[in-house]
Amino acid sequence: VPTGTSTEQSLALAHEAIARCRQIAADTEEPGFTTRTFLSAPMRAVHERLGAWMEHAGMKVSIDHAGNLRGRYPSSSGDGPRLLIGSHLDTVPHAGAFDGVLGVVLGVALIELLAGRRLKLEIEIVGFSEEEGVRFGVPFIGSRALIGEAGAELLARRDVAGVSVADAITAFGLDPARIGEAAQDALGYLEFHIEQGPVLEDRNLPLGVVQAIAGQSRLDVVFEGKANHAGTTPMALRRDALAGAAEWIGAVEREAQAVSGLVATVGRLDASPGAGNVIAGSARASLDVRHAADTARCQSLARILEQAGEIATRRFLNVSWEQRLDQPAVPMDPSMTLLLDHAVAQAGHPVHRMTSGAGHDAMIVARRMPVAMLFVRSPGGISHHPDEAVLAGDVAAALETGMCFLANLEKA
Ligand SMILES: [Zn+2]
């Protein structure tokens, strides 16, 4: 592995990678935007495009029965341990060009940097068919198949048009009965991904080493009071559900500000009956709480709900809640992450460990093998939007880090 990749070479490849991401962004279901859901027609165009680049770099290209694009770069001995490098090829509606796609394109660029040289490791680049959960309301179809957890229940899920996952796989020319063959053991999995947040930019850093993917609690919290006339009901005689919810939202924000690493959000609030001259009889709020440590998340959630109870009691309201999601944090593999730290430093960049507040394929793949993840700065912190961008220098830094990582893994 050439560790001394020249800056000009990696910068040229970074520009090429960015151009490729932009080309792939033109493979879309919606002209003028980038929208690409599970195994839709433009996904076939993406497979053809990436497949040609993979073959040109010396990879054997296939598509598994979950619709994941896979390019295998054989090892010098013909067997030996396999490292997976990948991310997802589907997008949200009206997406940017880099979420997911950058990780796959960077994997291909790393193989191109090897210029035909074989390693002791076999490397497989994986472009997952589905991560965003747009078409079937369930995310991670591709990576779930890779870890052997795409069963009958998943295959039976239907999109809004009534087409099941199994139907979509068949329509793409694949065999849902053989989805189990997508399962793969490997030495480990490395994912490059844009940060999709403002932290690296705020710290003026090109790269971040992901330490854990935050656990999430999602709930619906309902305050109930009494709807009444806004003009005739004196303040002291009201049971205003919306005012109670508002007080509680302030408490949610204070809790998150007080606990290091915690993020807590009320992103939706529905008041009923919802008229300007009627005191709200009920208010339904969403709650999203995330932290890299499950105990911290659960303790904060308990305090937030305790506050809801206190506020409700004081205001003569009832409060109840329903848990929608309780997803534990997923730590990245400590030794692979340490190798990634070293690689970042060797490539000449500051090492910054961080938590991912968003879910990623790495979080699913971690159930089956060691995983590590590298974030690339998101200018403006913008993602899931056409303005999503990357800086060529940052992409070059990721490439150089990737080369150092491969070299370190060969020695390990
Ligand atoms: Zn993504």
Side-chain angles (χ1 to χ4, degrees):
V1 178
T3 45
T5 309
S6 83
T7 311
E8 299 99 277
Q9 191 188 9
S10 51
L11 204 56
L13 272 164
H15 280 292
E16 172 73 15
I18 290 169
R20 286 175 171 184
C21 290
R22 298 239 179 253
Q23 284 177 48
I24 289 171
D27 295 323
T28 177
E29 292 157 34
E30 239 183 307
F33 291 100
T34 298
T35 301
R36 204 168 46 243
T37 56
F38 181 68
L39 298 187
S40 64
M43 190 61 90
R44 194 182 301 279
V46 172
H47 286 173
E48 279 163 17
R49 230 184 258 285
L50 270 165
W53 295 328
M54 286 171 161
E55 266 171 20
H56 190 255
M59 285 182 256
K60 293 195 178 92
V61 180
S62 63
I63 294 162
D64 66 31
H65 290 283
N68 298 320
L69 176 70
R70 304 170 74 146
R72 217 153 48 77
Y73 187 73
S75 62
S76 49
S77 65
D79 54 2
R82 182 184 300 191
L83 173 73
L84 305 180
I85 301 177
S87 195
H88 60 96
L89 296 176
D90 68 318
T91 74
V92 293
H94 300 194
F98 302 100
D99 177 6
V101 172
L102 181 71
V104 185
V105 166
L106 271 180
V108 176
L110 276 180
I111 302 297
E112 286 171 332
L113 264 178
L114 291 173
R117 247 162 313 181
R118 303 287 183 202
L119 308 178
K120 282 184 277 176
L121 294 168
E122 176 174 297
I123 303 174
E124 184 169 87
I125 311 299
V126 188
F128 289 116
S129 54
E130 210 285 342
E131 189 265 356
E132 301 284 4
V134 173
R135 183 166 173 188
F136 295 97
V138 42
F140 307 114
I141 297 175
S143 45
R144 284 210 258 173
L146 186 92
I147 64 163
E149 290 183 14
E153 196 189 319
L154 180 69
L155 287 169
R157 283 198 76 112
R158 290 181 189 278
D159 65 12
V160 286
V163 178
S164 70
V165 174
D167 295 339
I169 289 172
T170 306
F172 203 75
L174 302 168
D175 185 356
R178 295 174 64 187
I179 198 167
E181 294 171 24
Q184 178 72 60
D185 280 314
L187 175 74
Y189 169 79
L190 173 66
E191 183 164 356
F192 299 92
H193 202 286
I194 54 169
E195 183 204 344
Q196 300 179 285
V199 173
L200 291 173
E201 183 172 76
D202 186 55
R203 291 175 171 256
N204 196 24
L205 294 170
L207 303 172
V209 175
V210 178
Q211 180 151 324
I213 294 176
Q216 298 182 27
S217 302
R218 288 194 212 172
L219 295 89
D220 277 344
V221 178
V222 182
F223 290 87
E224 280 168 304
K226 182 135 185 64
N228 210 337
H229 198 291
T232 61
T233 316
M235 296 312 286
L237 300 178
R238 294 180 176 210
R239 294 171 59 209
D240 186 334
L242 188 54
E247 185 183 345
W248 172 73
I249 292 167
V252 170
E253 189 182 39
R254 279 192 298 280
E255 173 70 20
Q257 283 163 340
V259 176
S260 169
L262 190 81
V263 287
T265 308
V266 177
R268 202 193 63 237
L269 180 62
D270 302 315
S272 169
N277 59 351
V278 183
I279 298 160
S282 82
R284 172 179 289 267
S286 64
L287 175 65
D288 180 312
V289 181
R290 305 187 193 202
H291 197 282
D294 292 329
T295 43
R297 173 173 54 92
C298 294
Q299 283 166 2
S300 279
L301 177 60
R303 278 193 293 269
I304 284 169
L305 294 176
E306 201 181 288
Q307 293 262 29
E310 279 171 21
I311 291 165
T313 305
R314 179 157 33 79
R315 290 171 167 271
F316 302 103
L317 305 171
N318 291 319
V319 65
S320 60
W321 49 82
E322 217 176 309
Q323 185 126 23
R324 298 274 177 215
L325 181 73
D326 179 14
Q327 186 177 280
V330 178
M332 301 292 98
D333 179 68
S335 39
M336 252 183 94
T337 303
L338 212 54
L339 281 181
L340 195 55
D341 282 348
H342 292 324
V344 171
Q346 282 169 312
H349 306 287
V351 177
H352 175 67
R353 289 278 189 108
M354 60 190 297
T355 298
S356 172
H360 292 289
D361 290 301
M363 162 182 115
I364 303 298
V365 179
R367 295 184 200 152
R368 185 153 176 155
M369 66 188 75
V371 298
M373 202 168 177
L374 187 71
F375 273 168
V376 177
R377 164 167 45 189
S378 287
I382 296 164
S383 186
H384 285 188
H385 187 278
D387 290 344
E388 193 178 85
V390 287
L391 302 175
D394 296 353
V395 174
L399 261 176
E400 287 164 8
T401 299
M403 288 309 274
C404 294
F405 179 82
L406 289 182
N408 293 344
L409 204 58
E410 284 273 286
K411 282 183 253 156

